[in-house]
Amino acid sequence: MLKENLIQVEEKINAACQRAGRSRSEVTLIAVSKTKPIPMLSEIYAEGIRNFGENKVQEILEKHEELPNDIKWHMIGHLQRNKVKSVIDKVSLIHSVDSFRLAEEINIQAKKKNITVPILVQVNIAGEDTKFGITREDAIVLTEQIAELDNLRIQGLMTIAPLVNDPEDNRQYFRGIRQLSVDIRNKNIDNVCMDILSMGMTGDYEVAIEEGATMVRVGTGIFGARNYNK
């Protein structure tokens, strides 16, 4: 079942890359495994997936202990400052930095561990009250502020587009994030690159790829619906 789901997702990613004139190698598939049990992750791991995304620090810590150490863990959920120190050396990328205070705490804890932490700035491109992320207008200023921190590396931007019935409705937002990344790149800020655009989920990742996504976060499309009551 999971293998078939993954094959379908891969086919759609390949097709989207072809439509956009892009190489499949330009897009990283992150299997969003939040709330999913370890045997399911192991099954997908056996199919060659090495990038897994989690929303909660506790889940990362538990699964990090149980699963192979060549997995790249992505923190894609809201990160509380008091949880930073326990997770920063377990993840390959933090997608959800949306304030200077959070960036500052990551920097403090990174210095203590003598590591450099790659991050993405999370932008609430649609201005939804229910979602985390900085406004498009404030993103450049925040990027410039975070760039001053020695133990962080800004690798790009992340967004969570609105939940829509027609993925075409989100094209404008993906296009907006892409343009924002170009605007930031053109400022040539030290310690900042815009190589990663983390955007697109199960419902709209094909459109996101067509608009320049380099990472797509697919959960339901691979693992099926989530049971949040567990």
Side-chain angles (χ1 to χ4, degrees), residues 123-174:
V123 181
N124 185 349
I125 192 69
E128 293 182 282
D129 293 338
T130 55
K131 289 198 172 84
F132 291 102
I134 194 156
T135 65
R136 179 191 176 123
E137 292 71 30
D138 292 336
I140 293 178
V141 173
L142 179 62
T143 300
E144 289 173 334
Q145 291 173 331
I146 295 175
E148 300 291 326
L149 301 173
D150 293 336
N151 287 62
L152 298 190
R153 291 290 179 271
I154 298 176
Q155 302 286 341
L157 305 176
M158 183 271 251
T159 199
I160 302 172
L163 189 61
V164 292
N165 291 321
D166 184 356
E168 283 295 330
D169 293 342
N170 281 337
R171 190 178 292 277
Q172 59 178 317
Y173 300 121
F174 298 141

Side-chain angles (χ1 to χ4, degrees), residues 5-6 36 41 53 67 72 78 114 127 130 137 140 144 147-149 167 171 182 184 208:
N5 290 349
L6 184 60
K36 295 302 179 183
L41 277 71
L67 288 159
K72 294 179 179 178
H78 179 64
N114 196 30
T130 55
E137 292 71 30
I140 293 178
E144 289 173 334
E148 300 291 326
L149 301 173
R171 190 178 292 277
V182 171
I184 293 173

Side-chain angles (χ1 to χ4, degrees), residues 75 104 127 151 209:
M75 180 64 196
E104 208 170 27
N151 287 62
I209 290 169

